[in-house]
Amino acid sequence: NKGVKAHVSAGGWGSSSGQTGTVDPIHNMVIDPTKRAIFVANVMDLIRDYDLDGFNMDWEYPASSDNYELGKLLLELKQGINKLKTELGRDIELSIAVAGGSYGSEAYTAQITSVCDYIMVMAFDNQAQNHSTVNFAKTAMDYWLNQKGIKPEQLILAIPFYSKGISTPYGSYAYFSNGDPSGYYNDADGSLNGYEYNSKPVIVEKITEMKNRGGSGVFIWEITEDLSLIHISEPTRLGMI
């Protein structure tokens, strides 16, 4: 589709130390120059073979002691991408997914993030009654802009498509909103019937805050948790617009 870019991502909660709290496979890779070189080469092969537009590194999360190796990894990825851009004659982007605050972000410096086109701020899963409020999004964006020194145009803000909180059960938006799509979609603060999520008004406010800070856009986690309009009647669809 015109204007659509496809990136591939590596890492994530299930492939980093965040889920198990034991051995971190990403850490073990980046501290070994040979393994790191193989990883970078494989990423370049993926981009070339599948005609991709970029790569996202999602390490959850590097320790402060990983600072040097993290910087080496991102620099080597950027160098590989620059060579690939010359080879293929087109733009290729590098991005990272980062936590929405200081926890898990200690290893990042302005010098490290400067090699990235985009910093994707995961402003969700906060340990609060509602895991992804507008205030949390504002705090997360300001942390990366003001304390970590990223450029406004690097900023990409996360929008979750699920409910979560300290006393709130996890639930995908597609699941819990199915009984009353219009009600959940238009709820003023995204707090309805025990679910804590991002409704349309919350998303609109977050996008406004992101734009006010000069950010480049938003990303979602994740598309399969959205409610498909295919299964919604026409009157209900009109009520959601």
Side-chain angles (χ1 to χ4, degrees):
N1 293 334
K2 185 178 180 180
V4 174
K5 296 180 180 180
H7 291 213
V8 64
S9 180
W13 184 253
S15 298
S16 307
S17 63
Q19 186 173 29
T20 64
T22 55
V23 177
D24 186 339
I26 299 179
H27 168 81
N28 288 347
M29 178 269 292
V30 299
I31 63 174
D32 185 323
T34 301
K35 292 179 180 178
R36 199 169 63 234
I38 292 172
F39 177 80
V40 171
N42 286 341
V43 169
M44 299 309 123
D45 287 343
L46 276 173
I47 294 173
R48 182 188 297 105
D49 294 347
Y50 291 92
D51 197 25
L52 299 173
D53 299 291
F55 174 73
N56 171 262
M57 190 68 219
D58 182 11
W59 185 357
E60 300 182 29
Y61 296 102
S64 58
S65 57
D66 291 316
N67 171 272
Y68 177 76
E69 286 79 12
L70 172 66
K72 289 285 288 183
L73 172 65
L74 293 178
L75 179 61
E76 289 165 8
L77 283 167
K78 187 65 172 181
Q79 290 171 339
I81 282 174
N82 286 341
K83 290 180 181 178
L84 204 55
K85 287 166 68 173
T86 301
E87 174 191 329
L88 301 178
R90 59 180 178 84
D91 191 35
I92 302 170
E93 297 164 337
L94 174 65
S95 66
I96 54 174
V98 296
S102 59
Y103 175 81
S105 304
E106 298 91 343
Y108 293 99
T109 64
Q111 182 178 6
I112 288 175
T113 58
S114 67
V115 304
C116 302
D117 296 288
Y118 299 111
I119 314 298
M120 307 179 80
V121 181
M122 297 185 288
F124 44 53
D125 292 350
N126 188 29
Q127 296 301 308
Q129 180 58 30
N130 185 329
H131 75 114
S132 188
T133 62
V134 173
N135 282 337
F136 180 46
K138 291 162 62 176
T139 299
M141 289 188 288
D142 290 341
Y143 172 78
W144 282 94
L145 289 167
N146 301 331
Q147 297 190 44
K148 287 298 186 178
I150 71 169
K151 296 178 181 179
E153 58 268 27
Q154 289 179 293
L155 175 66
I156 304 287
L157 176 66
I159 303 289
F161 278 8
Y162 59 92
S163 167
K164 190 177 181 182
I166 290 177
S167 59
T168 305
Y170 176 91
S172 71
Y173 181 78
Y175 170 76
F176 67 77
S177 68
N178 192 49
D180 183 13
S182 181
Y184 283 99
Y185 183 75
N186 292 297
D187 186 72
D189 61 358
S191 180
L192 186 63
N193 298 328
Y195 292 103
E196 306 288 347
Y197 64 103
N198 282 191
S199 58
K200 178 185 176 181
V202 172
I203 293 173
V204 169
E205 188 173 356
K206 284 187 174 184
I207 291 174
T208 299
E209 293 290 345
M210 178 275 299
K211 291 171 68 177
N212 287 343
R213 288 163 172 77
S216 289
V218 300
F219 78 97
I220 59 169
W221 185 267
E222 43 89 9
I223 192 64
T224 64
E225 295 187 300
D226 194 11
L227 186 65
S228 172
L229 292 180
I230 296 174
H231 304 295
I232 300 175
S233 66
E234 188 62 27
T236 302
R237 292 189 202 185
L238 294 175
M240 293 173 64
I241 296 175

